[in-house]
Amino acid sequence: TRATIGVTGLATMGRNLARNIARHGHTVAVHNRTTSRMTSLVEQFGDEGDFVGAETIEDFVAAIQKPRAIIVMVKAGAPTDAVIDELVPLLDEGDIVVDAGNAYFADTRRREKALSDKGIHFVGMGVSGGEEGALNGPSIMVGGSDHAYERLAPVVESIAAQVDGTPCAAHLGPDAAGHFVKMVHNGIEYADMQLIAESFDLLRSVLGLEPAQIADVFREWNEGDLESFLIEMTADVLAHTDSSTGKPFVDVVGDAAEQKGTGRWTVQSALDLGVPVTGIAEATFARSLSGHTSQRAAVRETFADLAELDPATQRDVDRDAFVDDVRAALYASKIVAYAQGFDQLAAGSKEHGWDLDLGEVATIWRGGCIIRARFLDRIKEAYAAEPGLETLLTAPWFADAIGNGVQAWRRVVAVSAERGVPAPAFASSLAYFDGLRRDRLPAALIQALRDNFGAHTYTRTDREGTFHTDWAGDRAESSPA
Ligand code: 6PG
């Protein structure tokens, strides 16, 4: 019993997490269902730190100091339940089981409840940063009891990415708080990537730039407010040439985007919470659309003649001006996506009693995770200045950025419509902004229609109460109790 912590599930993420833990001076017990993964980890990387290899789950559990802390890093869903079921009979009260996978937060709530009835602490821990992050410093979003976090903190905070001396790891709240935050992180990741993809498409389709030239544009953007891991990576990917064909790499990659489910969960949860995460939803649907290849072929064929749009309806576009417009549109749309994601965090927190500190979320997303960006500093500052902020859109920095960029944003959306270049995330983000800004929304007409066909009632702008008009009869207005 000398290990500080254990990791079971040694596929890439689990293996890298275990190595990261060992490299930070913690003794780590390692276990995998197929033993060869465990032995090869110890053989290859044993000199990086103190590993205790366990062939059986019993030996693994026995190797860990009490109260035990066990990280489970297996596929979300049934495989996670199977490992938990195997572990639980071997554990004692006060022990801690950590699910570090991308679990659906409702599963985490269920598991937490089931284990806490047995006196075992269950922690849903969101880990972002991919393989590289797991090894060299991820962002870690922890949900669970105070007891559990106290036990985990020395390990978790030492292996996390560090920004300005602050670890990108935090105890965000009870039960599924960490997994919920990780889910929304991934939703925002979808939106970020979709906005980047739309920017690329516009620069290419409207200006005729080659991927390598667009790489330069992204590299330049990465010097400014848009500076982020994904923008930098985009420049790198666009500059890459396929070795077998000599073509730009992006041109030989199949154009049907896949998804493991976190974006879809984010949108499903947002629907339940009633939070309009339009940017994330468009990004998720854009992936679905890309995958409908036979439908795409059918529509492409039917509308083949439409390929040439009427030049008379197209405005002239100046290269440098358009590049800068796209940059501004990207930034404004990104603000919308994050504003929506943070709204969802606030709503989820309220619904489930997590008491999330949104500034803290922004703080631990500044490093390690996939959406890490200079931008997150601004969000952190916004919540520090005003913890109860209604929406990020009104925080001074972001309000200025949108105010300065809104004309460019409109031009980009207009050009995308004129040229038939799909930019769903740009367009819907702009519509969201205009919707919130509007004095009177046509929702009034929707209320009137609902009352007409279904007696669903409406409120009035001029007096309190609930009203119904007798549409089929004399159109008298009544005030149903
Ligand atoms: C991260 C990533 C990580 C993973 C996603 C990708 O934060 O490190 O989000 O969790 O790359 O599962 O999800 P999709 O397969 O749905 O794109």
Side-chain angles (χ1 to χ4, degrees):
T1 22
R2 57 194 185 83
T4 305
I5 196 163
V7 178
T8 180
L10 301 174
T12 319
M13 287 296 287
R15 189 184 59 191
N16 283 0
L17 216 54
R19 289 174 62 197
N20 187 353
I21 293 169
R23 286 175 175 191
H24 281 88
H26 312 283
T27 301
V28 57
V30 286
H31 170 264
N32 193 71
R33 178 181 298 272
T34 312
T35 307
S36 58
R37 273 192 202 236
M38 180 278 289
T39 46
S40 80
L41 164 62
V42 176
E43 268 163 32
Q44 276 186 65
F45 305 108
D47 58 354
E48 290 183 354
D50 194 9
F51 295 93
V52 182
E55 297 203 357
T56 66
I57 193 96
E58 288 82 7
D59 289 352
F60 172 67
V61 169
I64 303 162
Q65 287 162 11
K66 292 185 193 177
R68 301 181 185 90
I70 298 176
I71 297 179
V72 178
M73 193 51 134
V74 299
K75 279 207 179 74
T80 300
D81 281 315
V83 173
I84 294 170
D85 289 346
E86 229 182 314
L87 277 173
V88 164
L90 308 173
L91 300 182
D92 296 309
E93 273 195 28
D95 284 353
I96 300 150
V97 176
V98 183
D99 175 7
N102 271 333
Y104 182 53
F105 76 94
D107 288 341
T108 303
R109 282 173 73 79
R110 165 177 61 78
R111 290 170 183 142
E112 198 275 337
K113 191 159 183 341
L115 266 64
S116 75
D117 289 348
K118 297 183 163 72
I120 294 166
H121 296 257
F122 186 74
V123 167
M125 184 167 96
V127 179
S128 177
E131 293 176 27
E132 203 273 337
L135 184 60
N136 295 316
S139 173
I140 306 179
M141 297 146 251
V142 184
S145 65
D146 292 342
H147 161 89
Y149 193 70
E150 245 168 68
R151 170 73 171 79
L152 295 169
V155 171
V156 159
E157 294 183 9
S158 70
I159 65 167
Q162 314 281 322
V163 173
D164 305 334
T166 307
C168 295
H171 181 211
L172 296 171
D175 62 85
H179 273 150
F180 187 83
V181 171
K182 175 59 170 52
M183 177 189 77
V184 174
H185 164 283
N186 280 30
I188 294 174
E189 174 185 305
Y190 276 46
D192 259 345
M193 290 165 73
Q194 177 63 25
L195 292 169
I196 286 172
E198 290 178 16
S199 303
F200 161 68
D201 196 8
L202 283 161
L203 294 177
R204 192 171 203 186
S205 306
V206 175
L207 298 178
L209 300 184
E210 289 303 320
Q213 294 172 298
I214 301 172
D216 290 338
V217 170
F218 274 90
R219 211 166 283 125
E220 203 182 304
W221 288 352
N222 200 45
E223 302 292 313
D225 290 329
L226 279 169
E227 180 193 328
S228 66
F229 176 66
L230 284 171
I231 295 274
E232 186 187 350
M233 182 180 281
T234 301
D236 187 36
V237 168
L238 291 178
H240 182 58
T241 302
D242 177 50
S243 56
S244 59
T245 59
K247 289 184 183 163
F249 177 72
V250 70
D251 286 346
V252 300
V253 176
D255 69 348
E258 297 181 11
Q259 48 182 315
K260 293 209 190 74
T262 47
R264 186 175 67 241
W265 294 339
T266 310
V267 180
Q268 284 169 337
S269 147
L271 291 171
D272 290 339
L273 293 167
V275 182
V277 293
T278 57
I280 297 170
E282 288 296 354
T284 308
F285 286 134
R287 288 198 191 188
S288 313
L289 184 150
S290 74
H292 286 283
T293 44
S294 56
Q295 218 172 47
R296 287 172 59 191
V299 174
R300 193 161 58 237
E301 199 180 316
T302 302
F303 295 98
D305 294 342
L306 225 62
E308 291 299 323
L309 294 174
D310 178 5
T313 65
Q314 290 176 22
R315 63 187 71 202
D316 285 334
V317 170
D318 170 76
R319 175 184 157 152
D320 289 348
F322 190 68
V323 168
D324 206 53
D325 277 359
V326 174
R327 184 196 54 75
L330 174 55
Y331 197 63
S333 303
K334 186 177 161 96
I335 295 170
V336 165
Y338 281 68
Q340 294 176 341
F342 275 79
D343 282 352
Q344 184 169 358
L345 291 178
S349 176
K350 194 163 168 227
E351 171 81 11
H352 300 292
W354 290 323
D355 201 17
L356 286 180
D357 176 339
L358 300 183
E360 188 170 44
V361 172
T363 303
I364 65 166
W365 282 355
R366 292 181 307 156
C369 64
I370 303 296
I371 65 171
R372 61 186 181 260
R374 184 192 287 194
F375 193 80
L376 267 320
D377 277 316
R378 302 296 180 189
I379 299 182
K380 173 179 182 275
E381 288 160 17
Y383 283 109
E386 202 183 332
L389 193 62
E390 191 72 48
T391 160
L392 276 177
L393 301 185
T394 59
W397 170 271
F398 296 117
D400 275 359
I402 289 181
N404 295 332
V406 70
Q407 295 308 331
W409 201 4
R410 294 195 194 292
R411 284 192 294 269
V412 169
V413 171
V415 167
S416 79
E418 284 168 4
R419 312 262 176 146
V421 182
F426 277 170
S428 78
S429 304
L430 179 58
Y432 172 84
F433 168 66
D434 283 330
L436 283 182
R437 228 169 39 85
R438 204 153 174 83
D439 178 28
R440 289 274 300 157
L441 285 168
L445 175 57
I446 290 170
Q447 283 296 83
L449 294 170
R450 290 176 70 246
D451 188 59
N452 189 319
F453 66 65
H456 293 300
T457 74
Y458 51 90
T459 60
R460 294 185 57 101
T461 57
D462 54 355
R463 46 185 201 273
E464 292 288 301
T466 305
F467 302 91
H468 168 61
T469 290
D470 181 13
W471 294 97
D474 61 1
R475 306 213 160 186
E477 186 173 78
S478 60
S479 211

